[in-house]
């Protein structure tokens, strides 16, 4: 369609990020195949899967994902800088799609992370793809930080939620950006009551038996499971732990996204509206993918004109 290099900047947005799959598939159906991919957080995961040739495998798995499967990936780690270690999730991807060396990928790819000590923006363009993805998705307070090249790295969304600048630096003539943060400020989660939540039965441990140490450990982990249940349901009259965390992150990412894109605007922006999805509702992939597809098709004429005219 065009000799111009097309860059695709996939933004952060936790569970909303499965919309990226719909965007990429819709672009593919339009005959548009990005020459450069940059991704932040969940955008790094989807973009990395696409660059490595495993996007269809990822979609197939996601469409069969259930809520209890998501909970199963939460390997709790109460002794470090995050609630979830993330190793179980990364091992899952490694077993099914393997790992790859970023500089050997058929499509140039970069993930963005944040240096926890200096606040600097870190572009991960070489080495293990899975390590780069793991660093980029390290949402503070949720996933533990990742150590790469003697630096502790966390989620790139803290500093560059929609990495347009990386695409341009890698040689893109036209950048298509996917912003997942539209409308997220002020979103709220489905109401529920404490009595409806019940006690999570994830661990399968009988707290009435065993040693004191075992019972204490079980009680602590079950308390964490109760907090995890608030990802999907909260009190009618008061925000739960994850309500507060998610809304705070939403406010931060919305403001940072507006600032960054004002200074370095993409040529085309696609904004799926998925503010109704909760922070970790990854099992709702089908509706996120559909929304990404619909929004991309709606922008189809603008995208075609931009690629044909180079503006």
């Amino acid at each position: 369609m065009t000799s111009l290099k097309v860059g695709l900047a996939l933004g952060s947005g936790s569970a909303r990020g499965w919309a990226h799959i719909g965007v990429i598939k819709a672009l593919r159906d339009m005959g548009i195949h990005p020459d450069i991919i940059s991704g932040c957080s969940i955008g790094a995961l989807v973009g990395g899967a696409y660059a490595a040739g495993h996007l269809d495998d990822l979609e197939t798995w996601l469409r069969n994902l259930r809520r209890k499967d998501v909970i199963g990936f939460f390997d709790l780690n109460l002794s470090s800088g995050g609630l979830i270690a993330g190793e179980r999730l990364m091992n899952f991807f490694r077993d099914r799609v393997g790992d790859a060396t970023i500089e050997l990928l058929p499509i140039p790819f970069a993930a963005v992370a944040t240096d926890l000590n200096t606040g600097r923006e870190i572009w991960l363009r070489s080495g293990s793809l899975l390590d780069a993805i793991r660093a980029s998705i390290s949402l503070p307070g949720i996933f533990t930080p990742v150590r790469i090249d003697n630096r502790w790295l966390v989620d790139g969304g803290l500093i560059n939620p929609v990495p347009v600048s990386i695409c341009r630096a890698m040689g893109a003539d036209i950048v298509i950006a996917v912003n997942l943060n539209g409308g997220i400020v002020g979103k709220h989660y489905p109401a529920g009551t404490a009595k409806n939540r019940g006690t999570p039965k994830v661990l399968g441990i009988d707290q009435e038996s065993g040693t004191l140490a075992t019972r204490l450990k079980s009680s602590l982990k079950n308390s964490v499971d109760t907090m995890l249940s608030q990802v999907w349901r909260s009190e009618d009259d008061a925000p739960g732990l994850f309500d507060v965390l998610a809304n705070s992150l939403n406010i931060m990412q919305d403001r940072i996204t507006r600032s960054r894109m004002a200074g370095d605007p993409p040529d085309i922006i696609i904004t799926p509206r998925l503010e109704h999805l909760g922070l970790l509702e990854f099992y709702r992939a089908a509706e996120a993918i559909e929304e990404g597809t619909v929004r991309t098709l709606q922008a189809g004429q603008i995208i075609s004109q931009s690629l044909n005219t180079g503006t």
Side-chain angles (χ1 to χ4, degrees):
M1 178 178 292
T2 177
S3 59
L4 298 173
K5 284 190 176 182
V6 178
L8 183 60
L10 302 177
S12 61
S14 198
R16 300 187 299 276
W18 302 142
H20 292 316
I21 296 175
V23 172
I24 293 171
K25 291 180 64 180
L27 290 174
R28 185 170 60 189
D29 290 344
M30 295 162 60
I32 300 169
H33 303 276
D35 302 289
I36 295 165
I37 302 280
S38 66
C40 177
S41 196
I42 192 72
L45 194 158
V46 175
Y50 175 65
H54 294 295
L55 187 70
D56 292 338
D57 297 329
L58 177 62
E59 181 185 3
T60 298
W61 171 67
L62 288 172
R63 288 187 178 275
N64 294 295
L65 191 66
R66 296 164 296 176
R67 183 161 67 177
K68 69 177 183 179
D69 297 324
V70 174
I71 296 176
F73 288 117
F74 291 165
D75 45 353
L76 303 179
N77 187 339
L78 307 179
S79 61
S80 61
L83 187 63
I84 301 168
E87 294 305 315
R88 193 178 298 172
L89 179 64
M90 287 297 103
N91 287 336
F92 175 87
F93 284 115
R94 183 175 287 107
D95 291 343
R96 284 156 180 80
V97 303
D99 199 355
T101 302
I102 294 175
E103 54 265 45
L104 298 180
L105 292 173
I107 302 174
F109 170 81
V112 61
T114 304
D115 187 318
L116 186 60
N117 292 320
T118 66
R120 291 181 57 193
E121 182 176 338
I122 304 299
W123 296 357
L124 300 169
R125 299 180 56 183
S126 62
S128 164
L129 175 63
L130 287 184
D131 285 349
I133 291 171
R134 177 62 184 84
S136 190
I137 68 170
S138 295
L139 192 64
I142 303 295
F143 287 101
T144 56
V146 174
R147 193 177 184 88
I148 296 179
D149 294 334
N150 206 33
R151 294 180 296 208
W152 286 106
L153 303 180
V154 293
D155 198 311
L158 294 178
I159 195 166
N160 196 357
V162 186
V164 174
S165 56
I166 301 179
C167 278
R168 296 207 190 280
M170 293 173 68
D173 298 304
I174 289 183
V175 177
I176 301 172
V178 184
N179 175 23
L180 301 173
N181 298 319
I184 59 174
V185 174
K187 65 157 284 189
H188 48 125
Y189 296 92
T193 61
K195 66 179 180 181
N196 289 333
R197 289 197 191 107
T199 302
K201 297 180 179 179
V202 178
L203 301 172
I205 300 174
D206 180 6
Q207 295 189 58
E208 300 303 320
S209 61
T211 65
L212 175 61
T214 299
R215 292 199 302 273
L216 288 173
K217 182 178 180 180
S218 172
S219 177
L220 180 58
K221 286 193 173 183
N222 277 332
S223 295
V224 174
D225 288 336
T226 301
M227 289 190 292
L228 290 175
S229 74
Q230 295 182 35
V231 171
W232 296 292
R233 287 182 286 182
S234 60
E235 298 285 359
D236 290 325
D237 58 352
L241 171 66
F242 279 92
D243 293 336
V244 173
L245 177 60
N247 279 303
S248 298
L249 291 170
N250 286 343
I251 292 168
M252 176 194 73
Q253 292 209 16
D254 176 69
R255 299 300 184 261
I256 296 173
T257 299
R258 289 169 185 264
S259 176
R260 291 296 301 249
M261 289 204 296
D264 191 3
D267 299 282
I268 301 158
I269 185 165
I270 299 170
T271 307
R273 297 305 296 259
L274 290 164
E275 57 268 24
H276 57 283
L277 261 62
L279 182 69
L280 299 179
E281 290 183 325
F282 295 108
Y283 61 94
R284 299 174 67 177
E287 57 191 289
I289 293 170
E290 176 64 18
E291 174 66 7
T293 300
V294 168
R295 295 292 177 175
T296 305
L297 293 176
Q298 288 176 347
Q301 185 174 358
I302 296 174
I303 294 172
S304 296
Q305 289 176 348
S306 296
L307 294 181
N308 288 329
T309 62
T311 58

